[in-house]
Amino acid sequence: MVNHYLEKVYSGFLGMNIGIRLGAPVEPTIWTYERICDTYGEITDYVKSYKNFAADDDANGPVFFLRALYDDAKDRPLTPQDVARAWLNYAREGVGMFWWGGYGVSTEHTAYLNLKNGVPAPQSGSASQNGLILAEQIGGQIFIDTWGLVSPGRPHEAAELGQTAASVSHDGNGLWGARFMCAAIARAFETDDIEDIMDTALNEIPARCAYRDVAEAVRAFHAAHPEDWRRCMEMLQQDWGYDKWPGVCHIIPNAGVCVMAMLYGGGDFARTVEIAAMAGWDTDCNAGNVGTILGVAKGPEGLPRHYREPINDGIVCSSVSGYLNILDIPTFSKEIALLGYRLAGEVPPEGLAVRPGEIHFDFELPGSTHNLRVSDPFFCTLRYDGQHAYSGKGSLGILLDRPVRGEGSKVYYKPFYTREDFSDERYSPVFSPTAYPGQQVSMKLYLDQWNGWEAPSAAPYVRACSDKRDYRMGDVKLLQGEWVDVTFTIPDTQGDQVDEVGIILEGCSPTASKTLAMVFLDEFTISGPARYTIAMAKQKKNFAAITPFSMDGGAWSLYGGTLNLMRQGPAFAYTGNYYAQNYTCSAPVTPQLGLSHLLLCRAQGAKRWYAAGLGAKNELVILKNDFGVTTLAQCPFPWSLDETYQLELACNGPELTLSVNGQPLLSARDEAFSYGMFGCGSCEMGRTGFGDFHFQEK
């Protein structure tokens, strides 16, 4: 494996998201190259501040299409249909994931509907199916970065994976863009020489194609005019502009921008993504692609602090899983690296591991913060520390800067978001918490106090989402020069979501001797079985969904203390830990119209789940969806509209059991899905009311 593989994956994925965030505020069609220049001049920093940066299609695709390697291509070569199944399983039709611009307008929307209607990949993205114009839009190269990241030093294999994935939705130059970008990323693990990276990438596409032509045109112009990228941009507008390449966002003009940004960026990460953003056209896509390449090539030390800090190691996504939508970049980088070792047929190094379904922050990657935050930056600031560590080589340094007794700041992880946490609604992210009542929280704290008569206090706490109530545990005594173990159980939040987990640091010295200290935090973990309630009275409508659910189909509303579903076809809501295994979920269910009123368990997406509840008139059913719904078990049960039934669905190993009003009445055995989310919904037209949900892991 290449040297510093994990670190370069981390910096590559960070670089991608820096580029996306930099380019997103000046994305067309309103923003043109000229308007960007007139308004911002030379961009050298983010042009817009966000409370939290909302989901973006340029990150959604690389995160979720890669899951084909978990779900289908686990022990065999990847096929286009494997990636197609990831499209269908992780996207909510019509919302999030990518641009749903209409059939025949949006390439991705078109491909999705082709797949839904039985057109297999790669026919779903072919020019023969959709026409060459649609097949050659930019999506062929913007959803593929992670295929390069799992192929370090193997550009040909990276190109093959990229083409396989891109063929679900693209063809022609759309495929050559995927091959080019993936090969460039793979080569960047071994060199930061831009010309070498470009030569390698061009070797993976045909000798005669428009993609190569625009790349060579930019290279020739750069050789003749190496100092002025804006002159090169004028050439691209004149010779390769959108007027010559039809569609909403053709790949060829944007390929020219990517090559230009890398050449004129001169191997400097910041300058490269800045040129890509200033150039106009598809700014976030182009800056994201070159950000991945330069991020890998330069490593974490090559990413400027002013670009890294607002990312803060966290992004949100907009898949069907609210749990997976809250993404910790260091943890996801480990997932990518583990896949890279698997594809290379190599054993990963000792210590490289991920704990599915748990939060574990070890602060080992250079500069990592794992998205921890402070409530009051006047008293507390965070910085990565590569010297103090409980284990390994890194920890999070917390500078506690001169609070007096009773003053201080929270230091916390945010396991849940609502609409108020965002400045905008791009790609409609929805969330399920990553921390729950009943789970254990643990961390290690080390005190290096420089001033103050008494040691500062550290009080573990969690905050509830709807009423913003802090549940504060007892104070922990910090000891100078020693690591202290802090462990507590997340308390019952009375049906509310947990949206902060951390510690409250406060000074304990009087004004005459203010506290000045560094507190180091390491090995932050949230794990163990959860037990909680979702109280419908405490939920709200966010992003066209109801907290803490991700809705796929149907019309959902809150009234009368219930979650109400009206639908004309299949519609489901998903919540909970994506990796939960053995548990029971229950809720009062009131059938109001129709013949299908169900609870879900072990849902691994829109196309993989178990469901059980009231079926065709006078029966109970247990169903399985594995890209097609089948009945596992059924039995007679006389049920009536407008009568409420307490349904409980238990999954324990391969056993599924449905209870009604406390009586187990139906069971089935199936081994297809060993973990997954829970929720509710229906397979047919009708209306249903769902009351408070109760969940308990075993």
Side-chain angles (χ1 to χ4, degrees):
M1 189 58 71
V2 298
N3 292 330
H4 308 293
Y5 175 42
L6 175 58
E7 290 185 9
K8 285 179 171 288
V9 168
Y10 174 54
S11 57
F13 195 73
L14 272 173
M16 183 188 84
N17 283 285
I18 289 170
I20 292 168
R21 184 177 179 133
L22 182 67
V26 291
E27 191 175 10
T29 55
I30 295 174
W31 287 98
T32 62
Y33 164 70
E34 292 77 15
R35 181 167 289 165
I36 295 169
C37 182
D38 292 343
T39 304
Y40 294 112
E42 288 293 312
I43 290 176
T44 58
D45 201 348
Y46 295 116
V47 301
K48 188 181 285 290
S49 297
Y50 296 89
K51 288 191 281 186
N52 290 285
F53 188 65
D56 194 283
D57 61 332
D58 302 331
N60 286 328
V63 170
F64 289 99
F65 301 158
L66 186 71
R67 294 192 68 85
L69 295 177
Y70 294 124
D71 297 338
D72 289 302
K74 296 185 284 288
D75 52 9
R76 57 170 175 75
L78 183 76
T79 69
Q81 192 61 23
D82 295 333
V83 182
R85 284 161 64 91
W87 278 58
L88 293 170
N89 193 47
Y90 293 103
R92 295 168 290 150
E93 183 173 356
V95 61
M97 192 60 76
F98 42 71
W99 178 52
W100 301 86
Y103 193 79
V105 179
S106 161
T107 305
E108 291 72 34
H109 194 171
T110 301
Y112 180 92
L113 290 177
N114 286 343
L115 295 169
K116 179 187 174 184
N117 287 287
V119 179
Q123 181 65 27
S124 55
S126 66
S128 62
Q129 180 76 30
N130 305 320
L132 189 60
I133 291 174
L134 205 65
E136 290 193 333
Q137 299 303 298
I138 195 172
Q141 70 185 24
I142 69 173
F143 299 134
I144 51 72
D145 303 68
T146 45
W147 301 105
L149 294 177
V150 297
S151 310
R154 305 191 304 275
H156 180 68
E157 292 178 31
E160 291 289 298
L161 288 171
Q163 178 173 345
T164 297
S167 69
V168 174
S169 50
H170 289 76
D171 202 350
N173 285 294
L175 301 184
W176 311 147
R179 294 187 67 91
F180 178 91
M181 291 298 175
C182 285
I185 293 166
R187 180 58 178 155
F189 280 97
E190 298 181 307
T191 181
D192 63 358
D193 184 319
I194 297 301
E195 294 288 357
D196 183 313
I197 290 170
M198 207 162 293
D199 286 340
T200 300
L202 287 172
N203 284 340
E204 293 298 332
I205 67 174
R208 300 186 64 180
C209 66
Y211 201 99
R212 178 182 287 272
D213 291 344
V214 70
E216 296 294 7
V218 172
R219 296 182 83 179
F221 193 93
H222 174 259
H225 310 282
E227 303 301 326
D228 190 351
W229 74 267
R230 292 193 183 275
R231 285 188 65 183
C232 185
M233 187 63 207
E234 292 171 2
M235 181 275 292
L236 281 174
Q237 288 181 313
Q238 177 179 320
D239 297 344
W240 301 91
Y242 276 12
D243 58 319
K244 298 172 179 62
W245 299 94
V248 175
C249 191
H250 202 282
I251 199 170
I252 293 302
N254 292 288
V257 167
C258 291
V259 173
M260 176 185 72
M262 287 191 285
L263 289 172
Y264 284 90
D268 180 80
F269 172 86
R271 187 59 177 165
T272 300
V273 295
E274 288 160 3
I275 291 172
M278 289 186 286
W281 289 335
D282 205 337
T283 49
D284 58 340
C285 300
N286 297 334
N289 277 143
V290 299
T292 308
I293 297 167
L294 269 294
V296 170
K298 308 309 289 187
E301 64 278 5
L303 307 183
R305 184 173 177 177
H306 70 282
Y307 281 132
R308 283 192 68 172
E309 284 188 346
I311 300 292
N312 195 30
D313 272 354
I315 63 168
V316 301
C317 303
S318 57
S319 77
V320 76
S321 171
Y323 182 90
L324 295 178
N325 286 344
I326 300 173
L327 187 146
D328 173 62
I329 291 178
T331 302
F332 184 64
S333 298
K334 292 178 183 178
E335 293 183 34
I336 293 173
L338 287 167
L339 288 172
Y341 279 101
R342 192 185 92 188
L343 293 177
E346 297 185 21
V347 177
E350 185 177 354
L352 177 56
V354 173
R355 307 174 185 178
E358 296 185 10
I359 298 300
H360 179 67
F361 300 155
D362 59 12
F363 306 99
E364 290 299 286
L365 285 165
S368 58
T369 63
H370 292 278
N371 204 226
L372 267 71
R373 305 155 183 241
V374 298
S375 63
D376 191 338
F378 183 80
F379 290 118
C380 271
T381 54
L382 304 181
R383 60 194 65 196
Y384 170 78
D385 184 84
Q387 298 178 351
H388 297 81
Y390 177 80
S391 62
K393 58 187 178 182
S395 66
L396 184 69
I398 306 163
L399 176 62
L400 188 60
D401 192 357
R402 289 167 291 175
V404 299
R405 184 175 291 123
E407 295 178 333
S409 175
K410 297 176 178 178
V411 180
Y412 64 94
Y413 164 64
K414 191 165 179 59
F416 185 67
Y417 297 86
T418 61
R419 175 62 181 87
E420 66 188 28
D421 294 313
F422 296 91
S423 304
D424 57 17
E425 299 195 9
R426 289 172 304 103
Y427 293 98
S428 302
V430 287
F431 307 103
S432 299
T434 54
Y436 294 94
Q439 291 191 294
Q440 292 283 316
V441 180
S442 65
M443 68 189 84
K444 309 293 183 182
L445 296 177
Y446 181 98
L447 175 63
D448 183 9
Q449 187 166 353
W450 306 328
N451 193 64
W453 293 345
E454 296 183 43
S457 70
Y461 87 102
V462 302
R463 190 181 81 164
C465 178
S466 65
D467 61 10
K468 308 305 180 188
R469 174 185 170 186
D470 286 340
Y471 292 77
R472 180 168 173 161
M473 274 48 88
D475 287 0
V476 174
K477 184 177 181 180
L478 299 180
L479 301 176
Q480 177 72 5
E482 296 184 25
W483 286 99
V484 175
D485 181 64
V486 179
T487 303
F488 63 95
T489 300
I490 299 178
D492 183 1
T493 52
Q494 307 300 310
D496 206 349
Q497 284 73 248
V498 175
D499 76 344
E500 291 181 8
V501 179
I503 55 171
I504 302 171
L505 291 176
E506 293 181 340
C508 292
S509 297
T511 304
S513 183
K514 295 180 179 180
T515 299
L516 182 63
M518 286 292 293
V519 178
F520 299 97
L521 186 156
D522 202 359
E523 299 298 318
F524 182 93
T525 301
I526 305 174
S527 62
R531 180 176 183 175
Y532 61 94
T533 298
I534 301 173
M536 287 303 145
K538 294 189 176 183
Q539 306 313 313
K540 60 181 71 174
K541 193 162 190 175
N542 271 191
F543 296 111
I546 306 296
T547 61
F549 295 91
S550 171
M551 276 72 185
D552 187 26
W556 300 82
S557 60
L558 287 168
Y559 58 83
T562 59
L563 173 65
N564 300 282
L565 166 61
M566 182 175 181
R567 68 277 176 184
Q568 58 180 343
F572 292 93
Y574 307 87
T575 193
N577 189 325
Y578 184 83
Y579 296 102
Q581 296 181 354
N582 299 316
Y583 57 82
T584 61
C585 59
S586 63
V589 177
T590 306
Q592 298 163 342
L593 179 71
L595 301 176
S596 178
H597 312 273
L598 306 168
L599 297 183
L600 292 173
C601 75
R602 289 186 179 163
Q604 297 180 6
K607 300 298 181 183
R608 291 185 169 98
W609 44 250
Y610 298 117
L614 309 177
K617 197 66 174 173
N618 294 324
E619 72 174 9
L620 300 177
V621 294
I622 297 179
L623 307 176
K624 174 185 176 180
N625 185 5
D626 192 357
F627 289 85
V629 178
T630 57
T631 301
L632 296 179
Q634 59 192 108
C635 72
F637 179 79
W639 60 270
S640 303
L641 294 177
D642 299 318
E643 183 173 340
T644 299
Y645 301 88
Q646 183 70 29
L647 300 187
E648 179 183 274
L649 179 54
C651 48
N652 187 23
E655 300 293 333
L656 306 171
T657 303
L658 174 64
S659 298
V660 182
N661 298 332
Q663 297 296 315
L665 298 178
L666 185 63
S667 63
R669 183 181 179 89
D670 191 83
E671 298 183 350
F673 310 132
S674 60
Y675 62 86
M677 305 171 285
F678 72 97
C680 60
S682 173
C683 291
E684 300 179 12
M685 177 182 283
R687 291 184 293 112
T688 312
F690 300 92
D692 294 354
F693 284 77
H694 299 276
F695 175 91
Q696 182 172 351
E697 280 186 280
K698 299 176 181 178

